Amino acid sequence: MGDISIETLPQIVSKCFDSLDDGHLKRTGTLCTARANIITGMVGAGVLCRSWDIAQLGWIAGPAAILLFSFVGYYTSRLLSHCYRTGDPYTGERNSTYMDSVHSILGGANFKACGFFQYITLFGNAISCIIQASLRMMAIKYMHCFHENGENSCHVLANPYMIIFGITEILLSQIPDFDGIWWVSIVSVVMFFTYSLIGLGLAIARVAASGSFKGSLTVISVGDATETKKIWRCFQALGNIASAYSFYEILIETQDTIGSPPSEVKTMKKAISLSTVVMTTIYMLCGCVGYAAFSDDTPENFLIDLGFNKPFWLLDIANSAIVIHLVGAYQVNSQPTFALVEKQADQRWPHSELIAKEMKILVPGLGQYNMKLFRLAWRTVFVILTTVISMLFPFVFNKVVDIISLGFWPLMVYFPAEMCIRQKRIPKWSTKWVYLQMLSMACLVISIMAAAG
């Protein structure tokens, strides 16, 4: 092997490391992959629940709430993107995780609180993906059985489908890092558009068949619910819409995959803008058309609650697309936890053969894969743990996950606002300081109301 000359070193360094800063390995993420991660992390399968949310709030308050929280999510996520680097957002020291950003800018108890909220949310989201995916697979099986044998002859168990989902995630979890799951996110986004458009098309067809738009302008129309129950449902709907724009637990981690130049913050702000416009449009269309189709009888998810029962093949495609989307969403929500534990293990046991040893495996068509024994063991245990919890407490834990997601306030508003104040040295009681504090308090109240609902 020939010697490397001094003249060629700058070229080699430029190919392996980012040119802007501090010796980090070159990232390969782009605007497209950032948008894919945001959309995959943001939606789950909740887009099909927006019609239920609008049904609780009415034609005026429902769309207004979607627009309001889209603005809040857009604004606070841009604040958070400026915290990827400490100090100057273009040349300051990088922070690879949300916790690192909070630690370097706020420090102390805020750092621990951020870690608690972020990773409990990610863990809950991973379990929710398993539960929701199994429900979609069960829906496919039940729908065919229902129309062939009748309702009383159909009994579908969730556990086999959860195990199938878990085995799939064990395989995908061996993708080394967050940067490597870009293709999983892109596939998930394609699936998201697939089932969203199918749901939207079915709702439009139902509206056309009835010849009228249903629903009420206000929340006065309560159907068979009492006034008190309607109020609690309104609180729940507000929380659902607010948390639908919550992808903050993976925002910094996504930004850390973006290559530069141009600077990560510029690319991330574009990704946030485009993703917010896309999601708000889809939420508004599916929510409004779904409410127009079902009125007060709008189900929480009309592809699984038999809001539609034909055509079978189209519903099968939609539910299958949801399952594939949730496969990607599980990875997006799990990779930060994988990275945290593996980083801590490397720092605590730097000379451990179990931690550091790699096995080189030749994968036909994909080249060489470097498998670490610790990564294989730890990630497999994590997937098994989330799958077992899902199997033991499927419906109870799903409600717990709903409550966890309603704690969107710390990650979505509080930490971005406080870091912005510290980063930009905003004076206390200045106009912007007061505005940020009012925004934070308002979202805290909504979070409490939603959790109570």
Side-chain angles (χ1 to χ4, degrees):
M1 181 176 181
D3 295 332
I4 299 175
S5 65
I6 294 177
E7 289 79 6
T8 61
L9 281 176
Q11 298 176 359
I12 295 174
V13 170
S14 67
K15 291 180 181 180
C16 297
F17 298 91
D18 286 324
S19 59
L20 283 181
D21 66 313
D22 47 13
H24 280 279
L25 289 175
K26 184 180 286 291
R27 273 70 168 180
T28 59
T30 63
L31 175 63
C32 179
T33 60
R35 288 171 60 193
N37 282 340
I38 290 172
I39 293 175
T40 301
M42 188 188 298
V43 296
V47 64
L48 299 174
C49 303
R50 295 291 79 81
S51 55
W52 184 89
D53 298 329
I54 293 179
Q56 311 314 307
L57 299 170
W59 276 116
I60 297 176
I66 292 176
L67 292 175
L68 172 64
F69 284 110
S70 69
F71 171 76
V72 172
Y74 168 77
Y75 179 70
T76 57
S77 58
R78 284 171 68 92
L79 292 182
L80 183 56
S81 69
H82 279 271
C83 300
Y84 173 61
R85 292 178 181 267
T86 304
D88 189 280
Y90 300 98
T91 61
E93 182 180 353
R94 280 178 167 175
N95 300 299
S96 298
T97 67
Y98 199 151
M99 285 181 65
D100 290 341
S101 296
V102 174
H103 183 263
S104 63
I105 298 172
L106 299 178
N110 287 296
F111 163 69
K112 296 179 181 179
C114 174
F116 171 79
F117 284 112
Q118 181 184 8
Y119 288 99
I120 196 70
T121 300
L122 290 171
F123 185 75
N125 288 346
I127 293 176
S128 181
C129 287
I130 298 175
I131 296 173
Q132 293 300 325
S134 67
L135 289 175
R136 268 64 191 181
M137 288 186 277
M138 291 169 64
I140 295 173
K141 178 68 174 178
Y142 179 84
M143 197 172 298
H144 283 267
C145 178
F146 176 79
H147 287 91
E148 291 176 3
N149 305 313
E151 183 176 3
N152 295 329
S153 302
C154 300
H155 182 66
V156 184
L157 296 176
N159 287 357
Y161 298 105
M162 292 183 179
I163 292 173
I164 293 171
F165 189 89
I167 293 173
T168 303
E169 295 301 343
I170 288 176
L171 298 175
L172 288 176
S173 67
Q174 300 310 310
I175 298 173
D177 51 34
F178 203 87
D179 198 7
I181 64 169
W182 62 268
W183 63 272
V184 178
S185 295
I186 290 176
V187 171
S188 295
V189 170
V190 173
M191 294 298 104
F192 157 69
F193 282 111
T194 299
Y195 67 74
S196 297
L197 292 176
I198 290 175
L200 179 61
L202 291 173
I204 291 174
R206 185 170 182 130
V207 171
S210 66
S212 63
F213 274 63
K214 301 178 181 179
S216 171
L217 290 177
T218 66
V219 298
I220 296 175
S221 177
V222 296
D224 60 351
T226 63
E227 292 285 348
T228 302
K229 189 173 184 179
K230 185 65 177 179
I231 291 173
W232 291 121
R233 285 181 176 178
C234 289
F235 289 169
Q236 183 182 348
L238 284 174
N240 290 345
I241 294 172
S243 59
Y245 286 96
S246 181
F247 59 94
Y248 303 87
E249 58 270 20
I250 61 160
L251 190 148
I252 297 294
E253 284 77 0
T254 295
Q255 195 165 344
D256 192 51
T257 68
I258 297 174
S260 60
S263 66
E264 306 89 358
V265 68
K266 287 184 178 180
T267 304
M268 195 65 188
K269 286 163 71 174
K270 288 182 181 179
I272 290 168
S273 300
L274 293 169
S275 299
T276 302
V277 170
V278 169
M279 293 311 306
T280 301
T281 302
I282 297 295
Y283 283 159
M284 196 70 77
L285 287 173
C286 289
C288 291
V289 177
Y291 181 41
F294 292 100
S295 186
D296 291 336
D297 297 324
T298 301
E300 290 196 31
N301 186 310
F302 49 66
L303 287 183
I304 195 173
D305 295 335
L306 295 182
F308 297 111
N309 55 18
K310 60 182 181 179
F312 300 135
W313 62 270
L314 195 58
L315 293 172
D316 286 348
I317 292 174
N319 281 305
S320 298
I322 293 175
V323 173
I324 297 172
H325 172 83
L326 290 168
V327 168
Y330 183 97
Q331 285 301 309
V332 167
N333 283 280
S334 299
Q335 284 289 339
T337 306
F338 296 158
L340 174 70
V341 172
E342 288 159 18
K343 180 181 178 180
Q344 294 294 326
D346 287 336
Q347 292 175 348
R348 187 164 183 178
W349 300 288
H351 305 297
S352 170
E353 184 175 348
L354 174 63
I355 304 297
K357 185 176 180 180
E358 289 187 347
M359 297 176 60
K360 300 184 184 301
I361 301 175
L362 185 61
V363 181
L366 298 176
Q368 180 175 286
Y369 173 72
N370 296 327
M371 183 180 73
K372 285 189 174 182
L373 294 178
F374 177 74
R375 182 171 65 211
L376 174 64
W378 143 241
R379 296 187 181 193
T380 300
V381 169
F382 178 88
V383 175
I384 292 175
L385 176 63
T386 54
T387 304
V388 169
I389 292 176
S390 302
M391 293 168 64
L392 293 176
F393 312 104
F395 302 108
V396 174
F397 197 89
N398 210 27
K399 294 301 180 183
V400 173
V401 170
D402 288 342
I403 295 175
I404 290 172
S405 67
L406 295 178
F408 64 89
W409 168 73
L411 300 177
M412 180 176 177
V413 184
Y414 175 75
F415 290 122
E418 291 300 314
M419 287 194 288
C420 174
I421 291 171
R422 185 72 61 86
Q423 283 264 72
K424 297 184 177 180
R425 295 181 173 86
I426 299 174
K428 195 172 184 179
W429 301 113
S430 64
T431 302
K432 189 166 186 177
W433 185 90
V434 171
Y435 165 75
L436 288 172
Q437 296 300 329
M438 289 177 62
L439 176 64
S440 182
M441 288 300 100
C443 289
L444 173 60
V445 170
I446 291 174
S447 181
I448 293 171
M449 291 166 55

